Amino acid sequence: MCSPAAKRDFLGGEALRKSPPLLKPCRRAQSKRIAQESICKQNSLHFGGQDPYIPRSDVAVVEAAVALLPGAEIFVQEDAGHAFHNRVAPMFCRPEAAARAWELTTEFLRRTLPV
């Protein structure tokens, strides 16, 4: 369970204030609501470090926010771009990065899902 301080730090903290301009103001309220609903749940986030749609600097903001959340983890495949696990779109697919991310995902599920 998250402490009230962790929720406050995340929801009113530096990470939310530094949200990308795209999220302000229209999606920022929605993002905050989603965060409030899932703040104490297990989360595993994956990003590509070479994503042309989500700059690495924005991913760093998410990394800082995730560091405040118990039960949450973030992984960045630095050599991958956007949708690197999408085998249907060869322009995005990066099999090596996808394999690494899939291994991290299955390990996360083994640790967090009751059997």
Tab-separated table of all heavy atoms in Angstrom, residues 44-67:
chain	number	residue	atom	x	y	z
A	44	SER	N	4.148	-2.096	-14.506
A	44	SER	CA	5.409	-2.260	-15.219
A	44	SER	C	5.287	-1.468	-16.516
A	44	SER	O	4.435	-1.758	-17.356
A	44	SER	CB	5.670	-3.740	-15.515
A	44	SER	OG	6.909	-3.901	-16.155
A	45	LEU	N	6.135	-0.470	-16.664
A	45	LEU	CA	6.081	0.417	-17.823
A	45	LEU	C	7.301	0.187	-18.701
A	45	LEU	O	8.412	0.017	-18.195
A	45	LEU	CB	6.055	1.872	-17.357
A	45	LEU	CG	4.955	2.229	-16.362
A	45	LEU	CD1	5.196	3.606	-15.771
A	45	LEU	CD2	3.601	2.167	-17.032
A	46	HIS	N	7.093	0.202	-20.002
A	46	HIS	CA	8.176	-0.013	-20.955
A	46	HIS	C	8.174	1.102	-21.987
A	46	HIS	O	7.136	1.441	-22.549
A	46	HIS	CB	8.004	-1.366	-21.669
A	46	HIS	CG	8.127	-2.517	-20.745
A	46	HIS	ND1	9.295	-3.195	-20.561
A	46	HIS	CD2	7.220	-3.109	-19.925
A	46	HIS	CE1	9.116	-4.165	-19.681
A	46	HIS	NE2	7.861	-4.121	-19.278
A	47	PHE	N	9.361	1.638	-22.238
A	47	PHE	CA	9.535	2.707	-23.221
A	47	PHE	C	10.732	2.391	-24.104
A	47	PHE	O	11.639	1.680	-23.694
A	47	PHE	CB	9.798	4.053	-22.526
A	47	PHE	CG	8.608	4.631	-21.830
A	47	PHE	CD1	8.340	4.299	-20.513
A	47	PHE	CD2	7.766	5.512	-22.483
A	47	PHE	CE1	7.250	4.837	-19.855
A	47	PHE	CE2	6.672	6.052	-21.832
A	47	PHE	CZ	6.410	5.711	-20.519
A	48	GLY	N	10.722	2.963	-25.283
A	48	GLY	CA	11.889	2.933	-26.150
A	48	GLY	C	12.670	4.223	-25.972
A	48	GLY	O	12.089	5.307	-25.956
A	49	GLY	N	13.979	4.107	-25.826
A	49	GLY	CA	14.810	5.279	-25.612
A	49	GLY	C	14.991	6.140	-26.851
A	49	GLY	O	15.403	7.291	-26.757
A	50	GLN	N	14.673	5.590	-28.024
A	50	GLN	CA	14.817	6.328	-29.282
A	50	GLN	C	13.454	6.642	-29.903
A	50	GLN	O	13.335	6.771	-31.118
A	50	GLN	CB	15.646	5.498	-30.275
A	50	GLN	CG	17.011	5.106	-29.772
A	50	GLN	CD	17.895	6.318	-29.554
A	50	GLN	OE1	17.936	7.219	-30.392
A	50	GLN	NE2	18.571	6.356	-28.436
A	51	ASP	N	12.434	6.756	-29.073
A	51	ASP	CA	11.063	6.983	-29.541
A	51	ASP	C	10.924	8.391	-30.118
A	51	ASP	O	11.145	9.374	-29.409
A	51	ASP	CB	10.099	6.804	-28.369
A	51	ASP	CG	8.650	6.737	-28.790
A	51	ASP	OD1	8.266	7.435	-29.757
A	51	ASP	OD2	7.892	6.000	-28.156
A	52	PRO	N	10.544	8.523	-31.403
A	52	PRO	CA	10.389	9.860	-31.978
A	52	PRO	C	9.130	10.579	-31.497
A	52	PRO	O	8.998	11.792	-31.671
A	52	PRO	CB	10.316	9.597	-33.482
A	52	PRO	CG	9.779	8.213	-33.595
A	52	PRO	CD	10.313	7.469	-32.393
A	53	TYR	N	8.206	9.852	-30.880
A	53	TYR	CA	6.950	10.446	-30.424
A	53	TYR	C	6.988	10.815	-28.941
A	53	TYR	O	6.239	11.689	-28.501
A	53	TYR	CB	5.781	9.491	-30.681
A	53	TYR	CG	5.700	9.060	-32.117
A	53	TYR	CD1	6.103	7.789	-32.500
A	53	TYR	CD2	5.245	9.933	-33.101
A	53	TYR	CE1	6.048	7.391	-33.829
A	53	TYR	CE2	5.186	9.545	-34.433
A	53	TYR	CZ	5.593	8.269	-34.784
A	53	TYR	OH	5.544	7.882	-36.102
A	54	ILE	N	7.794	10.108	-28.174
A	54	ILE	CA	7.936	10.385	-26.740
A	54	ILE	C	9.412	10.654	-26.489
A	54	ILE	O	10.216	9.725	-26.405
A	54	ILE	CB	7.446	9.196	-25.882
A	54	ILE	CG1	6.017	8.812	-26.252
A	54	ILE	CG2	7.555	9.544	-24.396
A	54	ILE	CD1	5.522	7.533	-25.596
A	55	PRO	N	9.795	11.910	-26.400
A	55	PRO	CA	11.212	12.239	-26.221
A	55	PRO	C	11.797	11.601	-24.959
A	55	PRO	O	11.095	11.422	-23.956
A	55	PRO	CB	11.217	13.762	-26.108
A	55	PRO	CG	9.921	14.210	-26.682
A	55	PRO	CD	8.949	13.094	-26.457
A	56	ARG	N	13.073	11.285	-25.007
A	56	ARG	CA	13.738	10.653	-23.866
A	56	ARG	C	13.634	11.523	-22.623
A	56	ARG	O	13.523	11.018	-21.503
A	56	ARG	CB	15.212	10.355	-24.219
A	56	ARG	CG	15.969	9.550	-23.153
A	56	ARG	CD	15.320	8.187	-22.967
A	56	ARG	NE	15.999	7.353	-21.998
A	56	ARG	CZ	15.749	7.369	-20.689
A	56	ARG	NH1	14.857	8.204	-20.174
A	56	ARG	NH2	16.406	6.545	-19.891
A	57	SER	N	13.631	12.822	-22.797
A	57	SER	CA	13.494	13.727	-21.645
A	57	SER	C	12.134	13.556	-20.965
A	57	SER	O	12.032	13.668	-19.739
A	57	SER	CB	13.700	15.176	-22.069
A	57	SER	OG	12.756	15.541	-23.063
A	58	ASP	N	11.083	13.279	-21.741
A	58	ASP	CA	9.770	13.028	-21.151
A	58	ASP	C	9.746	11.685	-20.432
A	58	ASP	O	9.110	11.544	-19.383
A	58	ASP	CB	8.683	13.059	-22.219
A	58	ASP	CG	8.426	14.455	-22.762
A	58	ASP	OD1	8.974	15.433	-22.204
A	58	ASP	OD2	7.692	14.566	-23.757
A	59	VAL	N	10.437	10.707	-20.984
A	59	VAL	CA	10.537	9.401	-20.320
A	59	VAL	C	11.251	9.571	-18.977
A	59	VAL	O	10.875	8.941	-17.982
A	59	VAL	CB	11.256	8.370	-21.214
A	59	VAL	CG1	11.479	7.061	-20.475
A	59	VAL	CG2	10.460	8.132	-22.488
A	60	ALA	N	12.241	10.440	-18.918
A	60	ALA	CA	12.950	10.695	-17.661
A	60	ALA	C	12.012	11.250	-16.592
A	60	ALA	O	12.137	10.918	-15.405
A	60	ALA	CB	14.120	11.644	-17.898
A	61	VAL	N	11.047	12.063	-17.007
A	61	VAL	CA	10.049	12.581	-16.062
A	61	VAL	C	9.215	11.429	-15.516
A	61	VAL	O	8.950	11.352	-14.311
A	61	VAL	CB	9.153	13.647	-16.734
A	61	VAL	CG1	7.991	14.044	-15.828
A	61	VAL	CG2	9.973	14.862	-17.113
A	62	VAL	N	8.822	10.510	-16.384
A	62	VAL	CA	8.051	9.338	-15.945
A	62	VAL	C	8.913	8.475	-15.018
A	62	VAL	O	8.433	7.984	-13.995
A	62	VAL	CB	7.544	8.525	-17.150
A	62	VAL	CG1	6.810	7.275	-16.692
A	62	VAL	CG2	6.642	9.373	-18.030
A	63	GLU	N	10.190	8.298	-15.351
A	63	GLU	CA	11.088	7.522	-14.483
A	63	GLU	C	11.135	8.114	-13.077
A	63	GLU	O	11.089	7.383	-12.084
A	63	GLU	CB	12.499	7.482	-15.071
A	63	GLU	CG	12.621	6.594	-16.275
A	63	GLU	CD	13.998	6.647	-16.907
A	63	GLU	OE1	14.467	7.753	-17.260
A	63	GLU	OE2	14.604	5.565	-17.045
A	64	ALA	N	11.201	9.442	-12.979
A	64	ALA	CA	11.237	10.097	-11.675
A	64	ALA	C	9.938	9.853	-10.901
A	64	ALA	O	9.957	9.616	-9.692
A	64	ALA	CB	11.486	11.594	-11.845
A	65	ALA	N	8.815	9.895	-11.589
A	65	ALA	CA	7.529	9.654	-10.938
A	65	ALA	C	7.412	8.210	-10.479
A	65	ALA	O	6.962	7.931	-9.360
A	65	ALA	CB	6.385	10.003	-11.883
A	66	VAL	N	7.840	7.283	-11.316
A	66	VAL	CA	7.750	5.861	-10.982
A	66	VAL	C	8.631	5.534	-9.778
A	66	VAL	O	8.289	4.688	-8.956
A	66	VAL	CB	8.109	4.989	-12.207
A	66	VAL	CG1	8.316	3.537	-11.830
A	66	VAL	CG2	7.006	5.103	-13.248
A	67	ALA	N	9.742	6.230	-9.642
A	67	ALA	CA	10.632	5.992	-8.504
A	67	ALA	C	9.938	6.255	-7.168
A	67	ALA	O	10.337	5.702	-6.137
A	67	ALA	CB	11.882	6.857	-8.637
